[in-house]
């Protein structure tokens, strides 16, 4: 059996009295696209943040490429460099051009020579279709363009896995498509992806597996056909019903 | 007309020297304040609880007490014979505590400005969204790299307007140092007035020189702010109207 890119075992996390993750276990294989869905406040973002230790779990283990992230004294910056992350509200560095945003990781984290980093960054911007915006500042870009730059910024680190936390939730409907298109390209190139999203069209079309989370536990997981057409749990059915009502029937993708 | 020229020849050698002292004090205190204020602000935002408490104590003491009291404490208070003998008894040269007026002035103004600058920088650092730090850390930057490359370049820009205010205040506040016999612009003016009783001319004139300095600082900092403005951000601000 091949080694999973991400392995999560019995993860627990609480904020004060609020137990957010109540023992979550999960594996993501190389090239897999796993979509996580679930109601608000269920711990989806927390779960993603535990993968690169932006949040530190109270107990449980996380491995990235077989290396334990949660082990004591691990060089977390080196592991984070292998894990790309894309946020709901983009978080582009506001004082840097699109190109410099993409160069940031290679230059400051990997100590890549500037010239080499510039070429790499241009390449990544081309990949997300924004080579012509290289010199624009985040304040001069649309939401969809910002998110594509943010994806390019993560890709420039040549990550082993990409984490997406509701990458299209802050976008106007007409801008969602361009971001999903970039993500679909990535999936086609066999990028390993762990995606929290409400875009059911995307989930149906590109994911290998869907995980339904609620109240800090995984309620049900399986291939998209199973979750959409033959869910085993009543809660999964209810949630999918509600989400289709809210976000339309898989057409935005 | 010639009396005016004579008058000018009489006051300018003194006032010119005083102006130079005021400029040196202002510049020196701003620099000391910057070197104290920025680390203090960083400690207050990112430091360990213990270091945070120390930094807060410094800021509270120097913002919460009158500048004049601080100046007197550093100039007269430290020179207290009890203290100097104490210093001697533990092997320190007493001259360490008996400061020349100019040194005491730099210390008081610098420490005071540092406390205010720390607050402006802290506000600016906290105004940079937490998401910026999170995104930097997610890329694999260390905390210090994130502060240096991502947070500070934005925070320092945000801090420019309050910082120019502080600079303008400081130039005027330097005028208290005449009281410990530092021959600054106001000190020199006082000396001339006490000989010639010409305060109706001297006070407006000296006030005018301070005004010119403040206007100059405001103008320069405005230029700096404009030069460092991040494209795309100012547009959003304008559109709000
Ligand atoms: N830093 C924090 N401090 C305290 N509580 C937190 C923190 N981060 C998250 N929480 C709480 O943990 C719970 C789960 O949050 P999380 O953001 O992981 O949920 P989510 O599933 O991503 O929800 P959403 O769909 O709204 O993004 C929420 O109740 C939230 O208030
Ligand atoms: Mg979330």
């Amino acid at each position: 059996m091949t080694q999973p890119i991400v392995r999560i075992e019995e993860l627990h996390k609480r904020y004060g009295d609020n137990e957010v993750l109540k023992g979550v276990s999960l594996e993501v294989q190389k090239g897999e696209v796993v979509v996580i869905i679930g109601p608000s406040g269920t711990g989806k973002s927390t779960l993603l943040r535990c993968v690169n230790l932006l949040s530190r779990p109270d107990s449980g283990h996380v491995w990235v490429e077989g290396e334990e992230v949660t082990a004591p004294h691990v060089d977390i910056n080196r592991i984070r460099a292998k894990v790309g992350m894309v946020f709901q509200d983009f978080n582009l560095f506001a004082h840097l051009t699109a190109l410099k945003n993409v160069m940031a990781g290679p230059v400051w984290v990997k100590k890549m020579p500037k010239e080499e980093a510039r070429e790499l960054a241009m390449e990544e911007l081309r990949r997300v279709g924004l080579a012509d915006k290289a010199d624009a500042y985040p304040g001069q870009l649309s939401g969809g363009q910002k998110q594509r730059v943010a994806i390019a910024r993560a890709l420039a680190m040549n990550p082993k896995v990409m984490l997406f936390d509701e990458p299209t939730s802050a976008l106007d409907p007409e801008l969602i498509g361009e971001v999903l298109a970039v993500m679909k390209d990535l999936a086609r190139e066999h990028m390993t992806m762990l995606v929290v999203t409400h875009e059911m069209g995307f989930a149906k079309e590109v994911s290998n597996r869907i995980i339904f989370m609620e109240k800090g536990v995984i309620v049900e997981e399986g291939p998209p056909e199973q979750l959409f057409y033959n869910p085993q749990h009543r809660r999964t059915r209810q949630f999918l019903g509600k989400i289709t009502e809210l976000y339309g029937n898989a057409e935005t993708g | 007309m010639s009396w005016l020229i004579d008058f000018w020849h009489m006051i300018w050698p003194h006032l010119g020297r005083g102006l130079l002292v005021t400029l040196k004090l202002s510049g020196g205190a701003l620099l000391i304040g910057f070197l104290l204020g920025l680390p203090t602000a960083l400690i207050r935002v990112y430091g360990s609880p213990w270091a945070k408490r120390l930094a807060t104590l410094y800021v509270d003491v120097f913002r919460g007490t009158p500048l004049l009291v601080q100046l007197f404490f550093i100039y007269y208070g430290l020179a207290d014979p009890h203290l100097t003998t104490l210093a001697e008894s533990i092997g320190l040269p007493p001259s360490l505590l008996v400061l020349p007026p100019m040194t005491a002035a730099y210390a008081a103004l610098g420490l005071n400005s540092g406390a205010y600058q720390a607050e402006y920088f802290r506000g600016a650092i906290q105004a940079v969204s937490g998401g910026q730090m999170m995104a930097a850390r997610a890329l694999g930057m260390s905390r210090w790299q994130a502060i240096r490359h991502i947070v500070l370049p934005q925070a320092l820009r945000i801090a420019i307007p309050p910082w120019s205010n502080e600079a303008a205040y400081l130039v005027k506040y330097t005028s208290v140092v005449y009281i410990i016999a530092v021959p600054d612009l106001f000190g020199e003016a006082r000396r001339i007035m006490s000989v010639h009783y010409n305060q109706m001319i001297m006070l407006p004139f000296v006030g005018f020189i301070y005004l010119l300095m403040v206007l100059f600082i405001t103008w320069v900092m405005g230029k700096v702010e404009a030069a460092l403005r991040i494209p795309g951000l100012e547009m959003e601000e304008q559109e709000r109207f």
Side-chain angles (χ1 to χ4, degrees):
Chain A
M1 198 188 127
T2 55
Q3 170 179 282
I5 297 284
V6 177
R7 187 168 145 223
I8 297 168
E9 204 180 274
E10 271 304 299
L11 214 58
H12 287 263
K13 172 76 184 174
R14 58 164 64 239
Y15 292 108
D17 290 340
N18 183 7
E19 191 173 14
V20 178
L21 297 177
K22 303 171 186 161
V24 175
S25 301
L26 164 71
E27 279 184 8
V28 183
Q29 303 296 332
K30 191 166 166 41
E32 235 191 333
V33 177
V34 175
V35 163
I36 302 176
I37 58 175
S40 181
T42 282
K44 307 180 298 291
S45 298
T46 307
L47 178 64
L48 284 196
R49 285 201 304 267
C50 282
V51 174
N52 60 0
L53 245 56
L54 286 177
S55 294
R56 193 165 275 280
D58 298 322
S59 67
H61 304 271
V62 177
W63 290 265
V64 172
E65 271 198 311
E67 193 173 1
E68 189 177 349
V69 179
T70 40
H73 310 302
V74 75
D75 180 358
I76 187 58
N77 293 330
R78 193 173 46 79
I79 292 178
R80 282 182 184 149
K82 299 196 292 188
V83 179
M85 191 164 201
V86 174
F87 304 89
Q88 178 173 350
D89 41 8
F90 328 128
N91 292 331
L92 284 186
F93 305 133
H95 62 303
L96 300 176
T97 60
L99 185 72
K100 291 261 170 67
N101 262 279
V102 183
M103 288 169 66
V107 170
W108 289 321
V109 178
K110 287 189 171 168
K111 315 287 182 206
M112 186 184 285
K114 281 244 169 71
E115 265 321 302
E116 197 184 328
R118 186 183 307 275
E119 267 168 45
L120 169 68
M122 275 313 289
E123 193 53 50
E124 298 300 350
L125 283 177
R126 258 192 294 278
R127 196 166 163 190
V128 299
L130 286 174
D132 57 324
K133 293 291 181 186
D135 295 323
Y137 284 83
Q140 298 168 317
L141 298 173
S142 74
Q145 292 170 334
K146 279 185 206 167
Q147 195 59 300
R148 284 148 71 196
V149 173
I151 292 173
R153 174 175 70 178
L155 289 175
M157 293 299 281
N158 195 18
K160 302 298 172 205
V161 55
M162 288 281 282
L163 311 175
F164 291 85
D165 192 356
E166 303 200 31
T168 57
S169 295
L171 296 175
D172 292 337
E174 74 271 21
L175 301 178
I176 290 175
E178 61 187 70
V179 172
L180 290 180
V182 168
M183 292 171 64
K184 283 177 197 168
D185 283 346
L186 283 181
R188 223 167 284 132
E189 294 161 23
H190 305 294
M191 171 64 78
T192 312
M193 294 159 70
L194 189 52
V195 186
V196 175
T197 185
H198 296 303
E199 293 299 329
M200 292 304 126
F202 175 83
K204 270 184 196 163
E205 192 183 328
V206 293
S207 79
N208 305 96
R209 190 147 46 102
I210 297 181
I211 293 179
F212 173 57
M213 256 181 91
E214 190 172 49
K215 297 188 182 133
V217 294
I218 293 178
V219 176
E220 178 167 359
E221 65 173 290
E225 310 81 55
Q226 179 196 319
L227 259 89
F228 281 113
Y229 304 115
N230 189 19
Q232 306 298 302
H233 291 259
R234 194 172 47 88
R235 281 297 302 147
T236 315
R237 214 164 22 238
Q238 283 172 345
F239 179 77
L240 282 170
K242 200 153 48 169
I243 213 107
T244 327
E245 212 175 278
L246 274 174
Y247 290 85
N249 199 1
E251 298 311 332
T252 24
Chain B
M1 265 325 259
S2 78
W3 71 269
L4 207 95
I5 290 165
D6 288 344
F7 177 69
W8 178 255
H9 281 311
M10 181 191 76
I11 62 166
W12 183 244
H14 303 286
L15 285 191
R17 237 182 301 132
L19 177 62
L20 219 59
V21 171
T22 291
L23 288 174
K24 272 202 293 193
L25 263 181
S26 305
L30 271 176
L31 183 67
I32 296 169
F34 181 85
L35 295 177
L36 285 173
L38 190 56
T40 302
L42 287 170
I43 290 170
R44 285 197 76 179
V45 180
Y46 300 112
S48 63
W50 215 83
K52 258 184 206 170
R53 236 165 282 153
L54 265 178
T56 308
L57 182 72
Y58 159 58
V59 170
D60 286 351
V61 164
F62 279 89
R63 282 187 358 132
T65 58
L67 174 57
L68 215 49
V69 173
Q70 294 161 20
L71 185 67
F72 272 40
F73 183 85
I74 288 169
Y75 186 61
Y76 297 114
L78 291 185
D80 185 293
H82 295 94
L83 270 184
T84 49
T85 23
L86 189 73
E88 233 175 340
S89 71
I90 58 168
L92 290 170
S95 61
L96 215 64
L97 294 173
V98 186
L99 304 175
M102 199 61 186
T103 312
Y106 274 125
L109 290 167
L111 282 163
N112 184 275
S113 183
Y116 280 95
Q117 291 190 42
E119 280 306 86
Y120 297 136
F121 289 135
R122 182 171 71 104
I125 290 167
Q126 285 171 337
V128 177
S129 100
Q132 297 279 305
M133 175 60 102
M134 187 158 65
R137 298 307 304 272
L139 276 179
M141 288 190 213
S142 70
R143 199 169 157 91
W144 173 242
Q145 281 180 318
I147 291 172
R148 187 174 137 213
H149 296 299
I150 306 303
V151 177
L152 277 186
Q154 296 180 55
L156 289 177
R157 285 176 167 92
I158 297 171
I160 290 174
W163 195 88
S164 359
N165 263 337
E166 166 64 13
Y169 272 114
L170 190 76
V171 168
K172 292 175 288 172
Y173 279 142
T174 56
S175 62
V176 302
V177 300
Y178 83 91
I179 217 161
I180 58 166
V182 171
D184 74 324
L185 179 60
F186 187 62
E188 290 294 319
R190 262 177 59 94
R191 259 173 18 112
I192 296 171
M193 289 186 290
S194 66
V195 178
H196 297 279
Y197 298 105
N198 54 352
Q199 47 269 36
M200 275 310 286
I201 303 173
M202 287 303 291
L203 287 176
F205 184 62
V206 165
F208 182 66
I209 298 180
Y210 280 105
L211 175 67
L212 285 184
M213 286 191 279
V214 168
L215 289 178
F216 180 71
I217 289 170
T218 312
W219 178 76
V220 169
M221 293 312 292
K223 289 274 170 215
V224 171
E225 194 189 349
L228 295 178
R229 193 162 285 164
I230 300 165
L233 286 186
E234 81 274 26
M235 273 170 38
E236 281 169 27
E237 272 160 36
Q238 275 166 19
E239 277 164 13
R240 251 186 250 143
F241 292 102

